[in-house]
């Protein structure tokens, strides 16, 4: 009977540890979600005439144009805005990657999955809507 009680106690301890682990993971996930939603990405054009800020989803939330942009064609300014927006998204992806790695750890499979999901959503490479505009 002692062996059975000992095994039962060990099983109860493992369940308690597992429950604690799940609670900890849920807390880290909630904290990551809150911090990720607060992030923004910002970039400036190489000539410093354009500054773009994107929100945590990669959408443009602020665009600042220096008066010097008037010296360029509209097509040039549009290309610069698009390139700077891509750079702002890259900045956001860097921050999201750091926050996710910090919250969940570099070796956690969830970390890799979350980062890849952000990368697919924010990458404005060929084949994405921003690449065709």
């Amino acid at each position: 009977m002692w062996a059975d009680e000992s095994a039962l106690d060990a099983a109860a301890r493992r369940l308690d540890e597992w429950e604690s682990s799940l609670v900890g993971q849920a807390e880290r996930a909630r904290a990551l979600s809150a911090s990720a939603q607060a992030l923004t990405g910002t970039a400036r054009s190489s000539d410093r005439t354009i500054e773009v800020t994107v929100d945590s989803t990669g959408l443009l939330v602020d665009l600042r144009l220096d008066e010097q942009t008037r010296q360029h064609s509209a097509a040039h300014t549009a290309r610069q805005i698009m390139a700077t927006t891509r750079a702002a998204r890259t900045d956001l992806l860097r921050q999201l990657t750091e926050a996710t790695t910090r919250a969940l750890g570099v070796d956690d499979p969830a970390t890799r999955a979350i980062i890849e999901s952000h990368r697919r959503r924010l990458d404005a490479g060929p084949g994405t809507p921003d690449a065709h505009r």
Side-chain angles (χ1 to χ4, degrees):
M1 184 160 176
W2 177 256
D4 290 342
E5 286 182 36
S6 177
L8 185 58
D9 287 344
R13 277 194 304 278
R14 282 194 301 273
L15 283 174
D16 287 344
E17 290 169 2
W18 185 50
E19 180 183 15
S20 252
S21 172
L22 291 176
V23 168
Q25 286 177 333
E27 288 171 357
R28 287 190 301 277
R30 276 192 295 277
L32 173 60
S33 178
S35 68
Q37 288 177 10
L39 293 176
T40 61
T42 301
R44 293 188 90 159
S45 61
S46 59
D47 65 1
R48 316 289 283 170
T49 60
I50 297 168
E51 181 178 278
V52 170
T53 300
V54 296
D55 68 9
S56 64
T57 66
L59 296 176
L60 182 74
V61 293
D62 194 25
L63 172 63
R64 296 177 188 261
L65 304 174
D66 187 276
E67 288 299 320
Q68 291 179 9
T69 58
R70 293 174 184 246
Q71 298 172 5
H72 301 288
S73 70
H76 171 80
T77 301
R79 283 191 304 274
Q80 290 291 88
I81 290 170
M82 294 305 297
T84 307
T85 301
R86 284 189 296 276
R89 287 180 176 166
T90 298
D91 178 52
L92 174 62
L93 180 58
R94 177 192 56 77
Q95 292 179 61
L96 287 166
T97 298
E98 289 174 0
T100 303
T101 302
R102 194 171 39 252
L104 303 178
V106 71
D107 295 327
D108 190 321
T111 299
R112 290 187 295 276
I114 291 168
I115 291 170
E116 184 55 33
S117 173
H118 289 309
R119 184 173 287 118
R120 281 192 309 270
R121 183 173 49 83
L122 295 172
D123 184 20
T128 59
D130 282 348
H132 299 293
R133 291 186 186 162

